[in-house]
Amino acid sequence: MPSMFHLHVHTENDIVNWKTWDDETLCTFLHEYIHFLQDISTVMGLYTIYVLGECLADVVNRVYQTKDGEITVPIKLVLGTNNVYNNSMVNEEVAGTFNLPDGVDEDNLVITGKANVTPNIQNLNGEKIDLSKIQVSYQGGGDFMLGNYHISESMAYIGEEIMYGGVPGVVQPSPNYPYDVVRQLANFYSPELSNNLPFLFSLCDLSLTFSHAGKALIHFFDQYIKDGCPTDWRAYIVDVISRTKASTVNGVSMYSKALNDIKDLAIISLDKRFKGFNYEDIRRWYYKIINRIIDCRLQNPLFMVDFIQAGELKTNQGFEQLLKYIGTPVLTNDYHHTYFTDKVHGCHLKKRRAQFLQAAGSITYALLDAEFPCALRYQCKAEGRCIDRNCVRAPWKHARMITPCPYGNLWYGWKLRRKTLIW
């Protein structure tokens, strides 16, 4: 769940002893853990954290301007001079098409050719941005806009197949849309692309480090053909990044500058949600894990594929290092039992404190989408905490100093007390 640092595992097994899970559950967990890494180490993920934070600040400021005791949700973003609406629109554009038209068989969708790239220059508050439309046609006469969504999901599914594809019955069949979009598309450019899963995984990963991943991926496909389909794909990825690094701004590599710039924006956005000494431990945690994973990417652009190719999770040394270095988001199972490791080197954050991150995301979705009124309420129920109507309508009533409710305390601390949600 982007910006919420929460990962749900569809299992009834003990969430703490993950090494006892069956391979199918571990494979699904791997898919979602890849998404966690995408969220905190790519332009796509960090930009989403930034945009959601700016949207939250905007709607909360609008709530401040009304004296009404009731907040009707969702609160729609409006076009203004602060670029919040524009940033949200850009994020949606580069994400691509989420849903196909009614009646289209997503399970068996078949792509029929290469992507069609059409320039799409937008003037956003005086700045011209090319939000190129990456159109992909499919059997039946339709098409969709390729974007971050398809690439991130395809990448995670390819990761499953690399790590667990050799174990019969583990990787469960998934709909062609969106999980097989990248592989099908790659086949129209070169079989060497579509048949080399580690290479395709790495190209997806590299694309997500650009602001328009769909446009970047098609560029890399075309460039690979122009370069004569080199056989040493690892050296080729490093070479592509070196070309990007050759472009500089004031002597700083464009590749590293882009990652560090968006990292800083994401952290500033998170800081707005967690101001003051009360949240110093939370800030210290996300400072460290986000900076660490970005440093890891800059030092080794192939760190993701190295981890995926290092064997199954139970014996994967790369995964063990990641657990020590950045840990996991909050984990829950089907019984809503909760786990969060506080043993990450130098980051001592307790589980209940980590749930404040999840609570902040819940407030974002509650105000903007009228969804997830409180994503913690089922976890609280499983832990024997007080659950009532106020959890949904008036969470600030649960704010307290001792055993604080993360959702209620944030609601209260953000000066949203005496504001009741209505739909």
Side-chain angles (χ1 to χ4, degrees), residues 60-96:
V60 167
N61 283 332
R62 284 162 58 192
V63 170
Y64 291 161
Q65 295 169 17
T66 176
K67 295 182 179 180
D68 295 339
E70 294 181 336
I71 306 173
T72 301
V73 292
I75 301 173
K76 298 297 183 183
L77 296 175
V78 294
L79 183 61
T81 58
N82 60 7
N83 266 336
V84 172
Y85 177 90
N86 287 337
N87 285 331
S88 179
M89 183 274 290
V90 168
N91 205 34
E92 288 184 13
E93 286 278 330
V94 298

Side-chain angles (χ1 to χ4, degrees), residues 197-325:
L197 294 186
F199 185 26
L200 204 53
F201 179 92
S202 299
L203 283 176
C204 288
D205 186 39
L206 177 59
S207 299
L208 293 174
T209 63
F210 289 80
S211 57
H212 192 338
K215 181 181 177 182
L217 183 68
I218 299 307
H219 169 75
F220 293 142
F221 283 175
D222 286 333
Q223 191 63 47
Y224 177 72
I225 306 304
K226 289 179 182 177
D227 291 339
C229 302
T231 55
D232 189 345
W233 65 269
R234 293 179 66 92
Y236 183 72
I237 292 284
V238 173
D239 181 57
V240 169
I241 294 172
S242 296
R243 296 182 206 176
T244 306
K245 285 182 176 179
S247 301
T248 62
V249 175
N250 296 326
V252 179
S253 158
M254 282 289 288
Y255 180 76
S256 58
K257 183 179 187 307
L259 283 169
N260 278 309
D261 282 353
I262 196 63
K263 174 201 71 177
D264 291 342
L265 285 175
I267 288 176
I268 289 170
S269 178
L270 286 168
D271 284 349
K272 290 180 181 179
R273 290 169 248 187
F274 299 103
K275 293 180 180 179
F277 70 91
N278 288 337
Y279 302 116
E280 185 178 348
D281 57 337
I282 296 172
R283 291 196 301 274
R284 185 166 54 246
W285 181 79
Y286 61 70
Y287 285 168
K288 287 193 175 182
I289 69 159
I290 293 176
N291 276 294
R292 283 174 177 177
I293 202 69
I294 292 297
D295 286 346
C296 185
R297 181 177 290 284
L298 291 174
Q299 291 169 17
N300 176 18
L302 293 168
F303 89 97
M304 284 281 278
V305 75
D306 288 345
F307 150 52
I308 294 298
Q309 289 190 291
E312 298 171 23
L313 287 183
K314 290 179 182 177
T315 57
N316 189 307
Q317 294 298 310
F319 182 55
E320 186 175 327
Q321 290 174 3
L322 284 170
L323 288 180
K324 291 178 180 177
Y325 202 52

Side-chain angles (χ1 to χ4, degrees), residues 90-104:
V90 168
N91 205 34
E92 288 184 13
E93 286 278 330
V94 298
T97 306
F98 281 84
N99 297 307
L100 296 175
D102 292 341
V104 176

